[in-house]
Amino acid sequence: MTTPDLFAPDDAVARRLADLRQTLHTWAHQYYVLDEPSVPDAEYDRLFKELQTLEGSRPHLITPDSPTQRVGGKPLDAFAQVRHAVPMLSIRTETDTTAAGAENFDARMRRELGLSDADPAIEYMAEPKFDGLAMNLRYEHGVLVQAATRGDGETGEDVTQNIRTMGQIPLRLPPDAPAVLEVRGEVYMRRDDFEALNTRQRQKIAAGAKGEKTFVNPRNAAAGAVRQLDPAVAAQRPLSFFAYGLGEVTAPEQGGPRWDTHQVLLASLKSWGFPVCALVKQAQGAAKLVAYYESIGRQRETLGFDIDGVVYKVNNLALQRQLGFVTREPRWAVAHKFPAQEMLTTVLAIDVQVGRTGKLTPVAKLAPVFVGGVTVTNATLHNEDEARRKDVRVGDTVVVRRAGDVIPEVVSVLLDKRQGNPEPFTMPHICPVCGSVALREEDEADYRCTGGLFCSAQRKQAILHFAQRRAVEVEGLGEKLVDQLVDAGIIHTLPDLYRLGLSALANLDRMADKSAQNIVDALQKSKQTTLPRFLFGLGIRHVGEATAKELARHFGQLDAIMDASEEQLLEVADIGPVVAHSIRTFFDQPHNREVVEQLRACGISWPEGSPAERVSTPLSGKTLVLTGTLPTLAREDAKALIEAAGGKVAGSVSKKTDYVVAGAEAGSKLAKALELGVPVLDEVALKQILL
Ligand code: IVH
């Protein structure tokens, strides 16, 4: 059918409108519910636009189930109260997180139904317990007329405007749906949607937006969205839905559906366009319920959404009716919870722990709390910024989260429970383990202990670094051995390594005499080293092999390096303020100097040179940049000649460049040299200097 013109008779326009709505409903269902888009977004947009235009010309033909009506409501002052036609019940909760939780339920059902051991297993439906909020969707003659929250079970709030904005919720049902149908299910937010939403919120806050906040978890975000008074805002919040039950439905006697089991009922809901979770399974008897509980428990972390347990329901609806209700809970269903992943507890102290690389991590010491299946007494605050953002203080009541194998973390503080005015947390500027200065560098989130070799928390790492092949190389000294030596208290500092006797080594677990002798030999061998290897081995932050070589060449002797000021260090090619500062800070720690002295006293030695300035190589201390093709020298050869003459070859031209050596087809580097006034040499001039 083609688009009628705007002056066409009402009935022609109405037919086209119906046609457009039907097509758009189908596409939306494929996109939002089945996750199988059938047309490009642009095609959907095109028809949507046509529908909007036509409806704009005939407002009296707009129907509440039109896709254009998903967003369009005006902000409300408050939600209207809705009395539920059928009360929204709660569900009995089984908190025993062992198999007994399921077994007790099955035993109770068998007892209530008067079954003996000889009778067959009861058939159940097992479903995830979605962690969102319950919703009642009322359809009359196939059109969504009302969406209401659970409220107290008797009376909820009318949130139709907001729920309409959800693509997963059908606005209109196929013709075989009953005249009155109330579908119940859970509105929730997917984890990825939640993360994306919080990222957007953080950006808004950073841009100075007022009244915006981030959300603690997907459930809170979903609840906030459903209770938005402005549907335009709600429409921006990505909500999802799973159907799991019914409210009022036209009775079979009045032509309504006649279902035998919960399972077929769910199949009908699915056929009418409602999302039904694919994890819903039939299960016979207690053993299958237990298997389901354990299987879903294992998948919990990898699901796209939060669940807090599973729900078991007697499948047969006649048996459900027979079992009936106790007060406000059906007898035929139970929620079997998983261990909670979030719990409240109080902060006893805030400690700072030092990691293997010197990273300082603020850690909240907690009153013991059972969360995520274990007792938690520590929770990470990650770093200074996170600790400040969450503003955790001693004495606070906090939400602690432990999900899967992830380290427990403090999610948020319950500010209204704060007593008095405890001190805000401040990150210490000295290492709590060794007392060395702790530094946080620009653009980095973490403070790091500068104690290096002296800091016990960093000792293992430091020893391995020192012993590695590119440093002094102690063959056979691997991670396991270092762990053993440090844990047994045999090695406290790096020099202790060289005081190791054969017997101390041979006494270690799983250490044969031969291996012990090999280590002793390797240690002996490592004592003859070079200054660059030794310097690199010290593990000074930012001092890699290349910088170590540069330092050795520039200063010639270790004492000169240890005593150099930051200004003097800056004179070394390729050393900038960050590296200079790091070297200075390292050697300002008396413990580090002591370690160096002791290593020397243990016999570590290297051939010391004289400072580069006094070495009469023609290019000592000079930085050159090669560009273009030289007439006779290949680039590698030119580089080798320059380095042999004490010079250094850098990749880019700066004010610190001493010469640019230019050949044929030199480009931007030559231009830069000319711009900065850096002397330019050709191959002949270079060779003259090298002579
Ligand atoms: S059936 C009469 N099935 O759990 C039984 N409820 O107290 C009605 N929930 O807030 C509930 N997942 O929103 C049922 N698969 C599921 C569920 C589920 C989550 C929520 C429900 C309600 C609470 C029950």
Side-chain angles (χ1 to χ4, degrees), residues 169-487:
I169 296 211
L171 297 178
R172 183 177 32 181
L173 305 180
D176 63 323
V180 172
L181 175 71
E182 288 186 0
V183 173
R184 289 184 177 167
E186 201 84 348
V187 172
Y188 67 96
M189 193 176 285
R190 292 180 49 87
R191 287 178 184 153
D192 52 359
D193 286 334
F194 168 74
E195 294 301 337
L197 170 64
N198 259 357
T199 302
R200 288 202 298 278
Q201 291 299 103
R202 270 194 281 274
Q203 284 162 353
K204 285 190 202 166
I205 294 164
K210 291 266 172 319
E212 298 288 353
K213 59 164 199 160
T214 55
F215 300 93
V216 172
N217 58 36
R219 186 168 46 78
N220 287 1
V226 166
R227 302 200 70 259
Q228 258 298 322
L229 289 166
D230 184 351
V233 175
Q236 306 298 313
R237 305 277 164 83
L239 294 175
S240 298
F241 182 75
F242 279 128
Y244 55 63
L246 298 171
E248 188 186 9
V249 186
T250 308
E253 302 77 50
Q254 264 92 57
R258 199 179 286 278
W259 289 300
D260 289 334
T261 62
H262 183 68
Q263 194 166 21
V264 294
L265 170 173
L266 289 181
S268 293
L269 295 184
K270 196 171 171 191
S271 78
W272 293 332
F274 296 94
V276 174
C277 182
L279 298 169
V280 173
K281 289 264 149 46
Q282 200 209 82
Q284 314 267 357
K288 289 286 164 54
L289 294 182
V290 173
Y292 184 81
Y293 180 77
E294 288 171 354
S295 157
I296 297 291
R298 280 192 296 274
Q299 296 172 63
R300 186 182 188 188
E301 287 319 308
T302 54
L303 298 178
F305 46 87
D306 285 357
I307 60 175
D308 55 354
V310 296
V311 179
Y312 311 130
K313 300 174 182 177
V314 172
N315 195 16
N316 188 298
L317 300 185
L319 290 184
Q320 283 191 5
R321 279 188 289 274
Q322 188 183 328
L323 287 159
F325 301 86
V326 247
T327 55
R328 318 198 54 219
E329 295 168 355
R331 273 205 194 83
W332 45 265
V334 77
H336 191 188
K337 296 273 221 154
F338 290 135
Q341 291 178 320
E342 288 188 1
M343 291 293 278
L344 291 181
T345 187
T346 47
V347 176
L348 304 176
I350 300 175
D351 278 6
V352 174
Q353 290 180 353
V354 187
R356 283 167 70 93
T357 58
K359 180 186 157 185
L360 267 52
T361 305
V363 174
K365 297 278 159 186
L366 307 168
V369 60
F370 193 73
V371 52
V374 299
T375 300
V376 166
T377 52
N378 291 323
T380 181
L381 294 165
H382 299 293
N383 56 46
E384 181 181 39
D385 292 346
E386 279 287 294
R388 216 175 264 171
R389 190 170 69 75
K390 289 174 181 160
D391 189 23
V392 181
R393 305 187 189 186
V394 175
D396 278 350
T397 301
V398 293
V399 178
V400 179
R401 181 174 173 81
R402 179 185 180 271
D405 294 333
V406 184
I407 28 171
E409 62 166 354
V410 171
V411 179
S412 60
V413 175
L414 272 66
L415 282 178
D416 48 348
K417 293 215 170 179
R418 181 173 284 167
Q419 313 232 312
N421 190 19
E423 284 287 302
F425 170 75
T426 51
M427 199 69 179
H429 294 194
I430 58 161
C431 172
V433 173
C434 71
S436 303
V437 170
L439 288 178
R440 176 178 174 175
E441 266 141 42
E442 234 175 286
D443 299 329
E444 285 196 23
D446 301 314
Y447 272 84
R448 270 169 209 283
C449 164
T450 55
L453 307 178
F454 176 76
C455 182
S456 74
Q458 299 179 62
R459 209 168 290 149
K460 291 178 184 176
Q461 167 86 3
I463 291 167
L464 285 166
H465 181 81
F466 188 77
Q468 69 174 298
R469 176 160 306 144
R470 284 149 58 211
V472 305
E473 188 174 18
V474 183
E475 242 188 280
L477 190 74
E479 206 165 320
K480 285 216 180 79
L481 184 53
V482 170
D483 279 353
Q484 262 184 308
L485 291 167
V486 173
D487 292 343

